[in-house]
Amino acid sequence: MMYLLLSIVLVSTYCTSLYGEKGQAISSQMQDNQNQTLSVGTDAVGARTIISMETEISLKKLATIYKKLLHDQDAISREYFEDENLRGEVSKIIEERINTVRSVLGNEAPELAAAVEYEYAEPRRKFIIYGSIAVVVLGAGILALFSYDPATGTWGAPQTAHAQASLTKIAEKITGIFENDSAAIGSHG
């Protein structure tokens, strides 16, 4: 309540200093209806919206609900349902609520709706980016494995024989490392 009164006082002061008598009329209108969104504008700059603190908190709660509904929509596919028709009905209800909340947020606070959607999609974007990088690195490694001839130490056209020879050489090096470690352990023991 204190924040609400403080916001009313700040908005009243701002409006009074900027618009004079026009600001006083807006200030009294804000005190009459604290939940209403008021528009104060100039022709040169365009309309400027002043939202009460209570409305801003309500929009943030609505954004939290929107984020939760988006996650629920993803989770419904992993839930166990004895009847698949029930899954479809629950999914339909969640979709209707998402559409409702999306339209309200889109009209009242489009930047907040966009922020929620961006945050919701971020793990998928990261998965796509990291997955793409892993596929490229793995593909390059496989191509290199098939293209390098360890017998001559040159690069050439990809061949299965090159890959077999490279893998044999790698296996010999790994075995040699373990043999050296066991010999070192045996000499100390």
Side-chain angles (χ1 to χ4, degrees):
M1 187 68 177
M2 184 65 168
Y3 290 120
L4 189 58
L5 292 175
L6 182 60
S7 67
I8 290 171
V9 170
L10 289 174
V11 169
S12 298
T13 305
Y14 172 75
C15 292
T16 304
S17 66
L18 191 58
Y19 296 102
E21 292 177 13
K22 205 180 217 184
Q24 290 174 351
I26 292 172
S27 173
S28 64
Q29 186 179 7
M30 279 182 64
Q31 290 172 350
D32 292 340
N33 187 358
Q34 297 172 350
N35 293 329
Q36 183 178 4
T37 303
L38 301 175
S39 294
V40 178
T42 61
D43 294 334
V45 179
R48 179 177 179 159
T49 304
I50 301 171
I51 301 175
S52 70
M53 189 169 279
E54 187 174 338
T55 304
E56 183 178 346
I57 290 171
S58 297
L59 288 173
K60 287 182 180 179
K61 285 181 182 178
L62 193 60
T64 304
I65 291 169
Y66 183 38
K67 186 188 316 181
K68 177 69 175 135
L69 285 170
L70 289 172
H71 288 290
D72 287 348
Q73 185 180 30
D74 287 343
I76 197 76
S77 63
R78 294 184 301 269
E79 288 292 323
Y80 172 73
F81 286 94
E82 289 180 16
D83 183 15
E84 285 300 316
N85 292 331
L86 181 60
R87 179 189 311 272
E89 291 299 317
V90 171
S91 181
K92 191 185 305 180
I93 290 170
I94 291 173
E95 184 66 32
E96 289 172 0
R97 289 184 178 173
I98 286 173
N99 290 336
T100 303
V101 172
R102 182 183 296 140
S103 67
V104 169
L105 272 179
N107 291 333
E108 296 297 321
E111 68 284 344
L112 195 56
V116 169
E117 290 167 357
Y118 180 82
E119 182 181 334
Y120 168 72
E122 189 172 3
R124 286 190 178 137
R125 278 192 308 276
K126 285 183 179 179
F127 178 75
I128 290 170
I129 290 169
Y130 295 147
S132 300
I133 291 171
V135 167
V136 168
V137 168
L138 183 64
I142 290 172
L143 182 64
L145 182 68
F146 280 84
S147 298
Y148 182 72
D149 184 4
T152 61
T154 60
W155 295 88
Q159 296 177 4
T160 307
H162 294 311
Q164 289 174 343
S166 294
L167 289 175
T168 303
K169 194 162 192 143
I170 290 171
E172 289 172 358
K173 286 186 179 186
I174 292 173
T175 307
I177 290 171
F178 286 121
E179 287 176 357
N180 291 339
D181 285 344
S182 353
I185 292 172
S187 65
H188 292 304

